[in-house]
Amino acid sequence: MIARFKDLCLDAADTHALGAFWGRMLDGDVVDLGDGDTRVDPRAARSDAESLWVNRVSEARTVKTRVHLDLRLADAGPAALLAAGARLVREPDAEIDWWVLADPEGNLFCAFPPRAGARPGPFELVVDAADPAAQAAWWARATGGTVDAGDDGAASVVGAAGFPWDHWVFDPVPERKTVKNRQHWDVDLTDAEPTALIRAGATLLREPDDAISWWILADPEGNEFCAFARSAG
């Protein structure tokens, strides 16, 4: 293990409006960070890794989001989510048994029916991938998880260090990544710098500088993520 999942970040044009929306989705408190960004802290969170950081960006969303959360519903349908501001994109049909929704800035997420014994709220992080098995294997090695191969071509990482949900899913899609992801995850390094990640195949995009104190990297399929140095002591 050379990294530990830290949290999830979402780009936004209006961080306060989008933070408020996700606060309703996740039953969380919205924290104004004082720099234009917000953070959503789910009230029932079992770790800080369940927080969602909403970061202000100037560029608009132009393509389908390649990273999204899957939520387990408390009710039989998504009426409460729609009343809270979600937009219905697709209903269950012959191909899927869940709802596809969008937040106010068009970022997609999925809502699944209740399941006995399952806690309502996020249960999966889903990432589009050209080679799901390779992507899952890479992140499993980086975070100390194991790979669970699905029958539909998807592959999941389970037991990743710090990961707060049930599955980290890499889902097969035909289209390649072409623009910066609007949703990304952060990791805490086990070392003082990301040398091991880079040796393992990550690409260094930006080093710490006067504006940021962390590294920006990309995994083998170009998904951006931020890496934070191990805390002293």
Side-chain angles (χ1 to χ4, degrees):
M1 184 185 79
I2 54 180
R4 180 182 181 86
F5 186 94
K6 176 179 171 62
D7 47 42
L8 196 61
C9 300
L10 179 63
D11 289 352
D14 187 335
T15 57
H16 290 85
L18 200 60
F21 170 83
W22 279 102
R24 296 190 294 273
M25 293 299 99
L26 303 178
D27 187 25
D29 296 317
V30 181
V31 181
D32 186 339
L33 300 177
D35 58 0
D37 295 345
T38 58
R39 188 184 70 238
V40 179
D41 295 332
R43 298 184 183 97
R46 293 167 290 191
S47 77
D48 290 343
E50 292 189 55
S51 290
L52 176 65
W53 297 71
V54 185
N55 302 324
R56 183 175 54 185
V57 298
S58 57
E59 64 271 13
R61 186 183 64 85
T62 57
V63 299
K64 169 184 172 287
T65 45
R66 293 181 66 88
V67 181
H68 72 266
L69 282 172
D70 284 348
L71 309 183
R72 181 73 63 188
L73 294 171
D75 303 316
L81 304 188
L82 297 175
R87 175 171 58 87
L88 180 63
V89 176
R90 183 178 177 183
E91 295 187 271
D93 53 35
E95 295 180 347
I96 64 171
D97 59 0
W98 59 87
W99 292 264
V100 181
L101 306 171
D103 71 18
E105 293 200 7
N107 302 298
L108 300 181
F109 63 102
C110 297
F112 286 71
R115 177 176 293 176
R119 186 178 73 150
F123 71 99
E124 294 182 329
L125 178 64
V126 182
V127 185
D128 289 354
D131 188 338
Q135 280 289 93
W138 193 86
W139 277 104
R141 289 192 298 271
T143 60
T146 58
V147 177
D148 182 9
D151 297 333
D152 56 357
S156 301
V157 179
V158 294
F163 192 76
W165 304 299
D166 297 338
H167 301 97
W168 190 351
V169 181
F170 293 89
D171 199 35
V173 297
E175 64 273 8
R176 296 280 181 161
K177 181 178 179 291
T178 57
V179 300
K180 172 181 172 286
N181 287 339
R182 291 186 71 81
Q183 194 157 17
H184 73 269
W185 52 92
D186 296 336
V187 300
D188 282 321
L189 299 169
T190 58
D191 293 325
E193 55 186 35
T195 304
L197 276 172
I198 294 169
R199 286 175 178 167
T203 301
L204 178 63
L205 301 179
R206 182 177 176 182
E207 295 187 89
D209 53 34
D210 292 341
I212 63 172
S213 59
W214 56 88
W215 292 265
I216 301 177
L217 305 166
D219 71 13
E221 289 201 1
N223 297 300
E224 301 88 359
F225 64 99
C226 297
F228 291 76
R230 181 185 61 191
S231 298

